[in-house]
Amino acid sequence: MQQHFESAKNLIDQSANILLTMHERMDGDDGGALLALGGHLENEGKHVVYAIKQGVPPALSFLPGAKKIKDDWVEGNYDLLITFGCSELVRVGFPQILNAKCLILNFDHHPDNQNFGHVNIVDSKKSSVAELVYDFFNYCGWQIDKDIATCLLTGIITDTGGFMHANTKASTLEAAAQLMRKGAIPGKIMNHALKRKTPGVLKAWGKAIKNSFYDAKNKIIYSIMTAEDLSEFQSLPLAAFEGFVETLNTVPEAKFAMFLKQDGEIIKGSLRSDIFKNVDVAKIAHIFGGGGHKLAAGFSVAGKLVKDKMGKWRVV
Ligand SMILES: [Mn+2]
């Protein structure tokens, strides 16, 4: 990794005009890592543009620098494009990116990353991209101020579910402790990024919990939200069900948890398991064209979820 870090540092040192982007639907990890690195690059006097398809969700608007993020592609003469958490370049969601002529630096911790960058900082053993970027800051000897620390700790906290997931290692906690010493406050981050729920979101969770079903034969806990179920709730935020599949996965006898949700013409699936359950949910997600990690994966398929008169769910 040292060699990759050195190449990444060289790429950055040689660049003055830099575009930072990530996968569609900003999450705390890649968004936090992106804003942390952007903060440092701006401190170095570089011109930085932040573009994320669909912009910043309300739960992450507290992040220092979040206001600088544009929700659309910004034309420019970039020397360098830096991506966060994209296993493939198309995940960015801006078609213009596929024609970008500049150099690419790729930060990720997904095991299925395609290494599409000129330099690839990819380590699937890291809890989060934020922890990887924290290591990169240390390698470069760059200063971590309170804002950068807050962004990085947000990434670690959101990707480890508040240090509760199996990806939390001793090194993760050491990184978190250092970031606290730089001024990041975990309680504040958890309130904003993890716990935050509106009354409407709580009601929607109630419906999703009511729709949950434990298949005792196959040891699967799942819940399904059809378009009809969702239509009972007005203007739910994009991240309304963030953390829901983890709640399903709290049933210890289930081998894994699955949450299926209608999203327009698409069915989105999230899968979670625990290390002691010996299931690789990424393999299941792959069957449906998705991806992710052994214990946390997802997929999207075209189709419509419906409940028939017998109360059975089907895909049409
Ligand atoms: Mn991540």
Side-chain angles (χ1 to χ4, degrees):
M1 191 49 81
Q2 303 271 312
Q3 226 174 348
H4 293 285
F5 278 170
E6 188 59 32
S7 311
K9 186 175 183 298
N10 287 338
L11 264 191
I12 288 171
D13 286 345
Q14 291 157 17
S15 306
N17 194 7
I18 302 174
L19 177 78
L20 302 185
T21 189
M22 58 176 281
H23 56 83
E24 288 183 63
R25 298 193 174 198
M26 177 182 176
D27 65 353
D29 179 28
D30 301 300
L34 174 148
L35 285 169
L37 190 58
H40 168 78
L41 298 175
E42 289 198 50
N43 290 344
E44 276 199 349
K46 297 187 189 289
H47 180 251
V48 183
V49 173
Y50 307 78
I52 302 175
K53 185 133 191 212
Q54 289 163 336
V56 182
L60 296 173
S61 61
F62 76 100
L63 283 174
K67 283 197 182 71
K68 296 175 189 164
I69 294 172
K70 305 273 185 279
D71 60 4
D72 208 353
W73 178 256
V74 182
E75 268 321 317
N77 238 333
Y78 304 111
D79 309 313
L80 180 63
L81 174 73
I82 309 184
T83 62
F84 298 84
C86 299
S87 45
E88 298 169 88
L89 200 51
V90 334
R91 294 272 159 109
V92 166
F94 297 124
Q96 297 92 326
I97 206 157
L98 301 169
N99 303 318
K101 299 257 178 328
C102 59
L103 293 166
I104 298 176
L105 170 56
N106 160 24
F107 281 97
D108 195 13
H109 70 139
H110 290 107
D112 55 354
N113 189 284
Q114 302 294 308
N115 292 312
F116 53 81
H118 297 88
V119 175
N120 302 288
I121 306 288
V122 177
D123 185 352
S124 61
K125 289 186 204 74
K126 286 285 156 194
S127 68
S128 49
V129 172
E131 191 185 336
L132 190 53
V133 169
Y134 168 80
D135 289 350
F136 181 56
F137 266 77
N138 282 342
Y139 173 84
C140 297
W142 293 342
Q143 223 195 312
I144 295 178
D145 61 22
K146 187 182 173 187
D147 285 353
I148 290 171
T150 299
C151 292
L152 290 177
L153 190 56
T154 299
I156 292 175
I157 284 177
T158 52
D159 256 28
T160 60
F163 308 113
M164 286 196 291
H165 297 167
N167 59 356
T168 309
K169 305 215 173 81
S171 59
T172 315
L173 294 174
E174 275 156 7
Q178 283 302 333
L179 295 169
M180 281 180 75
R181 289 191 184 97
K182 304 285 184 192
I185 305 165
K188 187 179 156 195
I189 293 169
M190 289 195 200
N191 268 325
H192 281 284
L194 286 185
K195 296 182 190 162
R196 179 194 165 99
K197 285 189 189 39
T198 60
V201 167
L202 279 180
K203 284 227 181 335
W205 274 53
K207 179 86 184 182
I209 286 173
K210 207 170 154 206
N211 284 358
S212 68
F213 182 81
Y214 179 57
D215 173 349
K217 195 169 138 240
N218 296 303
K219 294 191 171 10
I220 304 167
I221 177 101
Y222 63 87
S223 171
I224 294 175
M225 287 292 272
T226 64
E228 200 188 339
D229 292 328
L230 290 161
S231 69
E232 290 175 27
F233 308 97
Q234 260 108 54
S235 59
L236 281 177
L238 272 178
F241 291 100
E242 196 138 308
F244 182 74
V245 69
E246 283 86 356
T247 302
L248 287 179
N249 192 40
T250 52
V251 173
E253 52 270 35
K255 284 289 199 185
F256 68 90
M258 178 175 74
F259 181 44
L260 297 179
K261 183 169 78 73
Q262 191 69 47
D263 188 354
E265 302 301 308
I266 289 186
I267 300 165
K268 300 230 164 170
S270 311
L271 301 155
R272 293 293 183 279
S273 191
D274 281 306
I275 196 125
F276 61 89
K277 295 177 174 174
N278 278 322
V279 174
D280 184 348
V281 291
K283 281 191 186 159
I284 302 169
H286 271 292
I287 298 170
F288 300 103
H293 309 278
K294 197 171 173 236
L295 303 177
F299 60 86
S300 299
V301 288
K304 232 171 171 76
L305 292 160
V306 289
K307 202 170 197 179
D308 67 16
K309 287 193 193 96
M310 309 292 286
K312 283 225 183 291
W313 283 299
R314 299 192 191 286
V315 175
V316 293

